[in-house]
Amino acid sequence: MRLIFSFSVIAALVLLSACSTKNNSFRDQYRWLSGQWKGYNDGTTMIESWKWEKYRFEGTGVEIIGNDTVFSETMYIESFGDQAAYVVIIKDRSPIMFHRVEESENRLVFVNEHNDFPSQIIYQHESDTALTVSLMAKGRPDGAEVSYQMTRTK
């Protein structure tokens, strides 16, 4: 009986260790996103804050015109098996999920073909203090997009 109990405890520890390693790998892959970022586009200020929480990155985003917050959202980047997803939650709306279609050391691309705007979200890591966020419209060959050159503030 002790042997079975000991085996069960060891198996549980190995499983937890594997999950922890997977989470650490996922966290390290997106670590450059952590912190607070601020950017401007055509009179609009965009602020995004990202941090690692247990098993995913959690973020908030706001757009400000003058002194008014005109838009706010909660965002998550989370691993579902071997696929990463970007989830957006906007007040009084259902969550919107974007799946990762491209990833490199300095670039993340998430897509949701069923969402008109944005249908594609691109994060380009320029340096430790610079990031470009581009929001692309669905089916627009003219490259309709909104881009923010973000600077790390924290």
Side-chain angles (χ1 to χ4, degrees):
M1 187 64 130
R2 281 188 191 182
L3 182 61
I4 293 172
F5 177 74
S6 296
F7 179 73
S8 297
V9 169
I10 291 171
L13 289 173
V14 168
L15 184 60
L16 287 174
S17 173
C19 291
S20 176
T21 301
K22 179 182 172 192
N23 283 341
N24 288 343
S25 173
F26 182 75
R27 179 196 64 214
D28 292 346
Q29 199 172 7
Y30 298 94
R31 184 181 300 271
W32 54 266
L33 195 55
S34 293
Q36 182 170 316
W37 300 87
K38 188 175 192 176
Y40 306 93
N41 183 325
D42 200 25
T44 301
T45 302
M46 180 177 177
I47 301 171
E48 283 193 9
S49 298
W50 289 95
K51 65 181 177 177
W52 176 256
E53 285 292 333
K54 296 182 184 172
Y55 59 93
R56 66 183 179 190
F57 276 93
E58 298 184 358
T60 57
V62 296
E63 289 185 1
I64 302 167
I65 297 177
N67 292 324
D68 295 325
T69 300
V70 295
F71 179 78
S72 66
E73 62 188 344
T74 301
M75 305 161 296
Y76 303 102
I77 297 177
E78 190 169 343
S79 177
F80 294 95
D82 61 347
Q83 177 69 302
Y86 184 99
V87 181
V88 177
I89 299 173
I90 301 168
K91 185 179 179 179
D92 299 327
R93 291 185 56 191
S94 297
I96 304 166
M97 184 178 290
F98 296 79
H99 63 279
R100 186 186 66 213
V101 294
E102 181 185 328
E103 168 191 0
S104 66
E105 185 176 327
N106 295 315
R107 182 177 164 94
L108 298 170
V109 180
F110 297 93
V111 172
N112 180 329
E113 293 294 332
H114 303 289
N115 200 52
D116 289 334
F117 187 84
S119 65
Q120 188 175 71
I121 301 170
I122 303 169
Y123 282 85
Q124 180 70 43
H125 181 217
E126 310 292 346
S127 71
D128 287 342
T129 59
L131 172 73
T132 301
V133 179
S134 299
L135 309 172
M136 311 294 286
K138 180 179 179 180
R140 296 287 301 268
D142 61 351
E145 71 175 90
V146 176
S147 289
Y148 293 90
Q149 303 299 314
M150 309 287 278
T151 303
R152 186 186 303 272
T153 60
K154 289 184 185 176

PDB file of all heavy atoms in Angstrom, residues 96-114:
ATOM      1  N   ILE A  96     -13.789  37.589 -27.511  1.00  0.00           N
ATOM      2  CA  ILE A  96     -13.372  37.384 -28.896  1.00  0.00           C
ATOM      3  C   ILE A  96     -12.008  36.696 -28.855  1.00  0.00           C
ATOM      4  O   ILE A  96     -11.084  37.191 -28.208  1.00  0.00           O
ATOM      5  CB  ILE A  96     -13.269  38.725 -29.650  1.00  0.00           C
ATOM      6  CG1 ILE A  96     -14.591  39.482 -29.582  1.00  0.00           C
ATOM      7  CG2 ILE A  96     -12.844  38.490 -31.094  1.00  0.00           C
ATOM      8  CD1 ILE A  96     -14.483  40.936 -29.998  1.00  0.00           C
ATOM      9  N   MET A  97     -11.885  35.561 -29.550  1.00  0.00           N
ATOM     10  CA  MET A  97     -10.637  34.810 -29.537  1.00  0.00           C
ATOM     11  C   MET A  97      -9.943  34.899 -30.889  1.00  0.00           C
ATOM     12  O   MET A  97     -10.574  34.753 -31.930  1.00  0.00           O
ATOM     13  CB  MET A  97     -10.886  33.348 -29.189  1.00  0.00           C
ATOM     14  CG  MET A  97      -9.600  32.549 -29.067  1.00  0.00           C
ATOM     15  SD  MET A  97      -9.847  30.830 -28.592  1.00  0.00           S
ATOM     16  CE  MET A  97     -10.360  31.017 -26.907  1.00  0.00           C
ATOM     17  N   PHE A  98      -8.655  35.162 -30.838  1.00  0.00           N
ATOM     18  CA  PHE A  98      -7.798  35.199 -32.013  1.00  0.00           C
ATOM     19  C   PHE A  98      -6.773  34.076 -31.858  1.00  0.00           C
ATOM     20  O   PHE A  98      -6.188  33.931 -30.784  1.00  0.00           O
ATOM     21  CB  PHE A  98      -7.057  36.539 -32.103  1.00  0.00           C
ATOM     22  CG  PHE A  98      -7.951  37.723 -32.291  1.00  0.00           C
ATOM     23  CD1 PHE A  98      -8.637  38.275 -31.220  1.00  0.00           C
ATOM     24  CD2 PHE A  98      -8.097  38.300 -33.540  1.00  0.00           C
ATOM     25  CE1 PHE A  98      -9.459  39.370 -31.388  1.00  0.00           C
ATOM     26  CE2 PHE A  98      -8.914  39.401 -33.722  1.00  0.00           C
ATOM     27  CZ  PHE A  98      -9.615  39.931 -32.640  1.00  0.00           C
ATOM     28  N   HIS A  99      -6.540  33.300 -32.894  1.00  0.00           N
ATOM     29  CA  HIS A  99      -5.540  32.242 -32.797  1.00  0.00           C
ATOM     30  C   HIS A  99      -4.220  32.712 -33.408  1.00  0.00           C
ATOM     31  O   HIS A  99      -4.203  33.520 -34.342  1.00  0.00           O
ATOM     32  CB  HIS A  99      -6.023  30.933 -33.436  1.00  0.00           C
ATOM     33  CG  HIS A  99      -6.275  31.031 -34.903  1.00  0.00           C
ATOM     34  ND1 HIS A  99      -7.427  31.558 -35.424  1.00  0.00           N
ATOM     35  CD2 HIS A  99      -5.507  30.680 -35.960  1.00  0.00           C
ATOM     36  CE1 HIS A  99      -7.378  31.529 -36.743  1.00  0.00           C
ATOM     37  NE2 HIS A  99      -6.221  31.002 -37.095  1.00  0.00           N
ATOM     38  N   ARG A 100      -3.137  32.218 -32.836  1.00  0.00           N
ATOM     39  CA  ARG A 100      -1.817  32.618 -33.315  1.00  0.00           C
ATOM     40  C   ARG A 100      -1.527  31.931 -34.646  1.00  0.00           C
ATOM     41  O   ARG A 100      -1.687  30.732 -34.789  1.00  0.00           O
ATOM     42  CB  ARG A 100      -0.744  32.222 -32.299  1.00  0.00           C
ATOM     43  CG  ARG A 100       0.640  32.738 -32.680  1.00  0.00           C
ATOM     44  CD  ARG A 100       1.706  32.226 -31.759  1.00  0.00           C
ATOM     45  NE  ARG A 100       1.801  30.777 -31.930  1.00  0.00           N
ATOM     46  CZ  ARG A 100       2.119  29.940 -30.958  1.00  0.00           C
ATOM     47  NH1 ARG A 100       2.354  30.382 -29.761  1.00  0.00           N
ATOM     48  NH2 ARG A 100       2.188  28.645 -31.191  1.00  0.00           N
ATOM     49  N   VAL A 101      -1.122  32.719 -35.637  1.00  0.00           N
ATOM     50  CA  VAL A 101      -0.780  32.162 -36.950  1.00  0.00           C
ATOM     51  C   VAL A 101       0.698  32.361 -37.273  1.00  0.00           C
ATOM     52  O   VAL A 101       1.212  31.743 -38.197  1.00  0.00           O
ATOM     53  CB  VAL A 101      -1.646  32.756 -38.092  1.00  0.00           C
ATOM     54  CG1 VAL A 101      -3.094  32.348 -37.924  1.00  0.00           C
ATOM     55  CG2 VAL A 101      -1.495  34.262 -38.178  1.00  0.00           C
ATOM     56  N   GLU A 102       1.340  33.239 -36.537  1.00  0.00           N
ATOM     57  CA  GLU A 102       2.768  33.475 -36.773  1.00  0.00           C
ATOM     58  C   GLU A 102       3.415  33.853 -35.454  1.00  0.00           C
ATOM     59  O   GLU A 102       2.841  34.575 -34.646  1.00  0.00           O
ATOM     60  CB  GLU A 102       2.968  34.612 -37.775  1.00  0.00           C
ATOM     61  CG  GLU A 102       4.419  34.896 -38.090  1.00  0.00           C
ATOM     62  CD  GLU A 102       4.586  36.105 -39.003  1.00  0.00           C
ATOM     63  OE1 GLU A 102       3.707  36.357 -39.850  1.00  0.00           O
ATOM     64  OE2 GLU A 102       5.605  36.785 -38.862  1.00  0.00           O
ATOM     65  N   GLU A 103       4.608  33.335 -35.280  1.00  0.00           N
ATOM     66  CA  GLU A 103       5.350  33.654 -34.078  1.00  0.00           C
ATOM     67  C   GLU A 103       6.830  33.536 -34.387  1.00  0.00           C
ATOM     68  O   GLU A 103       7.271  32.589 -35.019  1.00  0.00           O
ATOM     69  CB  GLU A 103       4.982  32.673 -32.972  1.00  0.00           C
ATOM     70  CG  GLU A 103       5.879  32.727 -31.785  1.00  0.00           C
ATOM     71  CD  GLU A 103       5.631  31.557 -30.853  1.00  0.00           C
ATOM     72  OE1 GLU A 103       4.779  30.717 -31.118  1.00  0.00           O
ATOM     73  OE2 GLU A 103       6.348  31.506 -29.872  1.00  0.00           O
ATOM     74  N   SER A 104       7.552  34.542 -33.987  1.00  0.00           N
ATOM     75  CA  SER A 104       9.003  34.483 -34.050  1.00  0.00           C
ATOM     76  C   SER A 104       9.499  35.134 -32.767  1.00  0.00           C
ATOM     77  O   SER A 104       8.702  35.512 -31.912  1.00  0.00           O
ATOM     78  CB  SER A 104       9.528  35.215 -35.295  1.00  0.00           C
ATOM     79  OG  SER A 104       9.266  36.593 -35.202  1.00  0.00           O
ATOM     80  N   GLU A 105      10.778  35.281 -32.662  1.00  0.00           N
ATOM     81  CA  GLU A 105      11.343  35.853 -31.438  1.00  0.00           C
ATOM     82  C   GLU A 105      10.808  37.257 -31.166  1.00  0.00           C
ATOM     83  O   GLU A 105      10.635  37.656 -30.030  1.00  0.00           O
ATOM     84  CB  GLU A 105      12.867  35.882 -31.560  1.00  0.00           C
ATOM     85  CG  GLU A 105      13.567  36.341 -30.314  1.00  0.00           C
ATOM     86  CD  GLU A 105      15.074  36.269 -30.454  1.00  0.00           C
ATOM     87  OE1 GLU A 105      15.567  35.369 -31.157  1.00  0.00           O
ATOM     88  OE2 GLU A 105      15.750  37.125 -29.862  1.00  0.00           O
ATOM     89  N   ASN A 106      10.515  38.014 -32.221  1.00  0.00           N
ATOM     90  CA  ASN A 106      10.124  39.412 -32.056  1.00  0.00           C
ATOM     91  C   ASN A 106       8.777  39.770 -32.673  1.00  0.00           C
ATOM     92  O   ASN A 106       8.454  40.942 -32.797  1.00  0.00           O
ATOM     93  CB  ASN A 106      11.200  40.320 -32.655  1.00  0.00           C
ATOM     94  CG  ASN A 106      12.501  40.218 -31.921  1.00  0.00           C
ATOM     95  OD1 ASN A 106      12.536  40.233 -30.701  1.00  0.00           O
ATOM     96  ND2 ASN A 106      13.589  40.091 -32.656  1.00  0.00           N
ATOM     97  N   ARG A 107       7.991  38.790 -33.080  1.00  0.00           N
ATOM     98  CA  ARG A 107       6.737  39.098 -33.774  1.00  0.00           C
ATOM     99  C   ARG A 107       5.672  38.056 -33.425  1.00  0.00           C
ATOM    100  O   ARG A 107       5.923  36.859 -33.461  1.00  0.00           O
ATOM    101  CB  ARG A 107       6.988  39.103 -35.276  1.00  0.00           C
ATOM    102  CG  ARG A 107       5.801  39.455 -36.124  1.00  0.00           C
ATOM    103  CD  ARG A 107       6.258  39.482 -37.592  1.00  0.00           C
ATOM    104  NE  ARG A 107       5.179  39.452 -38.524  1.00  0.00           N
ATOM    105  CZ  ARG A 107       4.612  40.527 -39.070  1.00  0.00           C
ATOM    106  NH1 ARG A 107       5.051  41.712 -38.765  1.00  0.00           N
ATOM    107  NH2 ARG A 107       3.634  40.401 -39.942  1.00  0.00           N
ATOM    108  N   LEU A 108       4.485  38.561 -33.117  1.00  0.00           N
ATOM    109  CA  LEU A 108       3.328  37.712 -32.855  1.00  0.00           C
ATOM    110  C   LEU A 108       2.188  38.162 -33.752  1.00  0.00           C
ATOM    111  O   LEU A 108       1.912  39.362 -33.847  1.00  0.00           O
ATOM    112  CB  LEU A 108       2.869  37.849 -31.397  1.00  0.00           C
ATOM    113  CG  LEU A 108       3.858  37.431 -30.318  1.00  0.00           C
ATOM    114  CD1 LEU A 108       3.347  37.871 -28.953  1.00  0.00           C
ATOM    115  CD2 LEU A 108       4.046  35.932 -30.363  1.00  0.00           C
ATOM    116  N   VAL A 109       1.525  37.227 -34.407  1.00  0.00           N
ATOM    117  CA  VAL A 109       0.382  37.554 -35.257  1.00  0.00           C
ATOM    118  C   VAL A 109      -0.778  36.655 -34.848  1.00  0.00           C
ATOM    119  O   VAL A 109      -0.653  35.427 -34.829  1.00  0.00           O
ATOM    120  CB  VAL A 109       0.701  37.343 -36.757  1.00  0.00           C
ATOM    121  CG1 VAL A 109      -0.512  37.693 -37.609  1.00  0.00           C
ATOM    122  CG2 VAL A 109       1.911  38.178 -37.168  1.00  0.00           C
ATOM    123  N   PHE A 110      -1.904  37.292 -34.513  1.00  0.00           N
ATOM    124  CA  PHE A 110      -3.120  36.595 -34.116  1.00  0.00           C
ATOM    125  C   PHE A 110      -4.231  36.958 -35.090  1.00  0.00           C
ATOM    126  O   PHE A 110      -4.344  38.118 -35.493  1.00  0.00           O
ATOM    127  CB  PHE A 110      -3.537  36.999 -32.696  1.00  0.00           C
ATOM    128  CG  PHE A 110      -2.528  36.632 -31.647  1.00  0.00           C
ATOM    129  CD1 PHE A 110      -1.558  37.532 -31.245  1.00  0.00           C
ATOM    130  CD2 PHE A 110      -2.546  35.379 -31.056  1.00  0.00           C
ATOM    131  CE1 PHE A 110      -0.635  37.204 -30.265  1.00  0.00           C
ATOM    132  CE2 PHE A 110      -1.627  35.035 -30.083  1.00  0.00           C
ATOM    133  CZ  PHE A 110      -0.663  35.947 -29.686  1.00  0.00           C
ATOM    134  N   VAL A 111      -5.082  35.977 -35.460  1.00  0.00           N
ATOM    135  CA  VAL A 111      -6.112  36.187 -36.468  1.00  0.00           C
ATOM    136  C   VAL A 111      -7.459  35.655 -35.983  1.00  0.00           C
ATOM    137  O   VAL A 111      -7.535  34.618 -35.327  1.00  0.00           O
ATOM    138  CB  VAL A 111      -5.729  35.479 -37.789  1.00  0.00           C
ATOM    139  CG1 VAL A 111      -6.863  35.508 -38.790  1.00  0.00           C
ATOM    140  CG2 VAL A 111      -4.488  36.107 -38.388  1.00  0.00           C
ATOM    141  N   ASN A 112      -8.522  36.384 -36.342  1.00  0.00           N
ATOM    142  CA  ASN A 112      -9.897  35.917 -36.210  1.00  0.00           C
ATOM    143  C   ASN A 112     -10.627  36.376 -37.467  1.00  0.00           C
ATOM    144  O   ASN A 112     -11.003  37.548 -37.595  1.00  0.00           O
ATOM    145  CB  ASN A 112     -10.578  36.472 -34.969  1.00  0.00           C
ATOM    146  CG  ASN A 112     -12.009  36.002 -34.816  1.00  0.00           C
ATOM    147  OD1 ASN A 112     -12.700  35.749 -35.796  1.00  0.00           O
ATOM    148  ND2 ASN A 112     -12.460  35.898 -33.583  1.00  0.00           N
ATOM    149  N   GLU A 113     -10.822  35.461 -38.408  1.00  0.00           N
ATOM    150  CA  GLU A 113     -11.435  35.781 -39.699  1.00  0.00           C
ATOM    151  C   GLU A 113     -12.903  36.190 -39.567  1.00  0.00           C
ATOM    152  O   GLU A 113     -13.468  36.771 -40.487  1.00  0.00           O
ATOM    153  CB  GLU A 113     -11.322  34.586 -40.649  1.00  0.00           C
ATOM    154  CG  GLU A 113      -9.904  34.269 -41.070  1.00  0.00           C
ATOM    155  CD  GLU A 113      -9.263  35.364 -41.918  1.00  0.00           C
ATOM    156  OE1 GLU A 113      -9.982  36.089 -42.621  1.00  0.00           O
ATOM    157  OE2 GLU A 113      -8.030  35.488 -41.864  1.00  0.00           O
ATOM    158  N   HIS A 114     -13.530  35.904 -38.435  1.00  0.00           N
ATOM    159  CA  HIS A 114     -14.943  36.227 -38.246  1.00  0.00           C
ATOM    160  C   HIS A 114     -15.148  37.610 -37.632  1.00  0.00           C
ATOM    161  O   HIS A 114     -16.278  38.059 -37.487  1.00  0.00           O
ATOM    162  CB  HIS A 114     -15.616  35.170 -37.368  1.00  0.00           C
ATOM    163  CG  HIS A 114     -15.486  33.786 -37.924  1.00  0.00           C
ATOM    164  ND1 HIS A 114     -16.159  33.373 -39.058  1.00  0.00           N
ATOM    165  CD2 HIS A 114     -14.732  32.733 -37.535  1.00  0.00           C
ATOM    166  CE1 HIS A 114     -15.833  32.122 -39.322  1.00  0.00           C
ATOM    167  NE2 HIS A 114     -14.969  31.713 -38.424  1.00  0.00           N
TER     168      HIS A 114
END
